[in-house]
Amino acid sequence: MNGPVGIEYLNVYGGRAAVDVHDIFTARGLDTARLDNLMMRRKAVGLPCEDPVTNAVNAARPVLERIGADGRERIELLITATESGVDFGKSVATYVHKYLELPANCRVFELKQACYGGTAALQMAVGQIAAGLSPGGKALIIATDVARPSVKLTYAEPSQGVAAVAMLVGDDPGVLDLDLGAHGVHAFEVLDTCRPDGETETGDPDLSLMCYLDCLEAAFADYARRVEGADFVASFDGLAFHTPFAGMVKGAHRHLMRRRHRAAPADIADDFERRLAPSLRYCVEVGNSYSATVFVALAGLVDGLGARAAYRAGLFSYGSGCCAEFFSGIVPAGAAERQAAFAIGAALEAREQLDIARYDAVLALNAEWRFGLRDKLLDRKPFADLYERCFAGRGLLVLTGIEGYHRQYAWS
């Protein structure tokens, strides 16, 4: 097909609870002088009744409500992107397919490539729709990830969050009309971060930072090789980057502005505030949500720049291990109005704010739900007050237990 293809709707689910990053620094005895470099406010905290499945469904359900039953029937592809899977074989997507009541003739699978997975899923969906093999068909892409509790007592803890982003992809891209063929990719093997088992997150943060910077520069160079006249400053009115923490994005932007444009510090600061800072409005409230994060940034960019004429956005996606991509698209006029119906900012502001004692108690409860668990019912008593305030009567999907190895869910 020759028509537009891209993101029709995009919703962020940033959990129902959060903790102040400054409180974590104080409680853990971390150096608060590093807070300014981190540039984080709060991070999302999953409760024991939440997991990558519930987050995915709760992100996607408002999208499906917008398109109605007829739109739901045109969803022919469901991809969940996650490095937080609940089974080595059975995908998160199978549960999502069930609870979203998607058609039986829908291709369903899961994709993993660290934080790049969501972008890989999006590009796969765009390619299928652009091929025009099923005119009017839609794809539902959900990036859903959960940080493990093993990062406690390190500088990684304040930035590691929980979130899911649901994107409906089709030929009416009211949020992002992708520039087909306009992309730059850079990949190589490195062990900068990894999850060697179900509970451990580890790696070399300095190496990861250097890989991120190298990949940003190389991926944009590949983009510029493919797209005649592409210029990092002139070609894009807005930018959204994978955001492990906001300070890293600010440093990466400075790095590329110096390397490609030899820009002065004042010009770099002005450019950051104008084109990239708007994308961070939700990232600083959620934390690093891995495969979802670049799309949390996109949601922030669309809402942050607000109602305006159509503009081109540049996106950078990085996944440890590693693969990175710089790509672009047009944010149409009316995108901010379309996205306003999801009230993402209001939902994040309405989350339960945990003090550090309650946050630690929740982490301890979450630690009981280890990968490969069998035959366990969820006891809500230890967090009954939180459940009542955050879930009861809200119609959100929650985990109720595991029978054998089969995870069980219900609507709150």
Side-chain angles (χ1 to χ4, degrees):
M1 65 181 291
N2 297 318
V5 179
I7 300 172
E8 299 189 347
Y9 294 97
L10 183 156
N11 187 41
V12 175
Y13 179 76
R16 298 290 302 142
V19 62
D20 190 281
V21 166
H22 185 274
D23 290 347
I24 296 176
F25 266 73
T26 302
R28 305 294 189 245
L30 302 176
D31 182 4
T32 55
R34 296 179 65 170
L35 266 171
D36 288 344
N37 290 332
L38 194 67
M39 293 176 60
M40 288 287 304
R41 292 186 59 206
R42 286 177 284 220
K43 76 165 191 171
V45 180
L47 297 179
C49 59
E50 296 185 286
D51 69 3
V53 173
T54 65
N55 295 341
V57 170
N58 292 331
R61 201 177 185 202
V63 172
L64 298 190
E65 289 171 352
R66 293 294 305 277
I67 64 174
D70 290 343
R72 186 189 306 245
E73 288 301 311
R74 293 313 318 270
I75 296 175
E76 300 174 357
L77 173 65
L78 168 65
I79 309 176
T80 53
T82 186
E83 59 182 84
S84 309
V86 296
D87 186 282
F88 281 126
K90 180 177 170 64
S91 77
V92 166
T94 57
Y95 290 107
V96 174
H97 178 270
K98 172 182 177 179
Y99 288 99
L100 291 179
E101 299 180 333
L102 296 180
N105 61 338
C106 176
R107 185 175 286 118
V108 174
F109 61 94
E110 189 167 293
L111 188 154
K112 179 184 76 174
Q113 178 43 55
C115 302
Y116 174 72
T119 298
L122 172 63
Q123 294 289 21
M124 183 175 292
V126 166
Q128 174 169 310
I129 292 167
L133 301 179
S134 181
K138 309 293 184 185
L140 182 61
I141 306 303
I142 310 176
T144 178
D145 268 312
V146 177
R148 308 310 306 162
S150 57
V151 298
K152 189 174 178 181
L153 303 178
T154 73
Y155 282 100
E157 183 184 5
S159 67
Q160 303 297 76
V162 173
V165 172
M167 297 173 282
L168 186 73
V169 180
D171 58 9
D172 180 26
V175 176
L176 185 69
D177 181 357
L178 263 79
D179 295 324
L180 297 181
H183 63 269
V185 176
H186 191 66
F188 57 92
E189 195 281 322
V190 64
L191 195 68
D192 54 334
T193 71
C194 67
R195 293 189 180 193
D197 59 47
E199 303 305 316
T200 303
E201 291 185 29
T202 187
D204 183 333
D206 293 330
L207 177 60
S208 190
L209 172 60
M210 296 307 299
C211 290
Y212 184 103
L213 296 178
D214 288 348
C215 282
L216 173 59
E217 187 172 1
F220 184 77
D222 190 44
Y223 179 96
R225 180 182 64 82
R226 297 172 188 270
V227 181
E228 184 177 356
D231 181 272
F232 182 67
V233 173
S235 297
F236 313 102
D237 297 304
L239 297 167
F241 287 7
H242 170 58
T243 307
F245 55 92
M248 185 169 173
V249 167
K250 187 174 185 179
H253 168 266
R254 181 173 61 244
H255 173 81
L256 197 59
M257 289 289 287
R258 287 172 173 171
R259 296 276 289 191
R260 292 195 71 90
H261 296 277
R262 301 187 183 277
D267 293 332
I268 293 173
D270 178 71
D271 187 76
F272 173 79
E273 291 299 325
R274 179 173 59 87
R275 295 195 299 153
L276 192 51
S279 74
L280 302 176
R281 63 185 299 169
Y282 301 144
C283 294
V284 301
E285 298 287 344
V286 172
N288 187 7
S289 51
Y290 309 148
S291 59
T293 305
V294 67
F295 302 109
V296 175
L298 176 60
L301 181 71
V302 173
D303 290 353
L305 291 183
R308 55 185 293 174
Y311 59 93
R312 176 164 278 109
L315 291 86
F316 173 64
S317 179
Y318 173 79
S320 291
C322 69
C323 185
E325 181 170 350
F326 191 97
F327 60 107
S328 63
I330 298 294
V331 178
E337 292 87 341
R338 175 177 286 212
Q339 283 297 106
F342 296 120
I344 295 168
L348 294 177
E349 191 61 34
R351 293 173 299 176
E352 182 80 9
Q353 302 303 303
L354 306 179
D355 62 26
I356 202 70
R358 198 63 189 278
Y359 165 65
D360 281 338
V362 166
L363 291 186
L365 292 171
N366 289 346
E368 297 177 11
W369 294 84
R370 296 181 176 275
F371 186 92
L373 197 63
R374 181 178 185 180
D375 290 326
K376 183 176 175 66
L377 292 177
L378 181 71
D379 181 6
R380 294 181 189 159
K381 292 178 183 176
F383 67 104
D385 59 324
L386 289 178
Y387 184 88
E388 184 67 25
R389 292 194 294 271
C390 297
F391 293 98
R394 296 181 179 272
L396 296 169
L397 192 70
V398 294
L399 177 69
T400 60
I402 302 174
E403 295 179 7
Y405 293 108
H406 196 190
R407 301 177 84 85
Q408 305 296 311
Y409 301 93
W411 300 103
S412 66

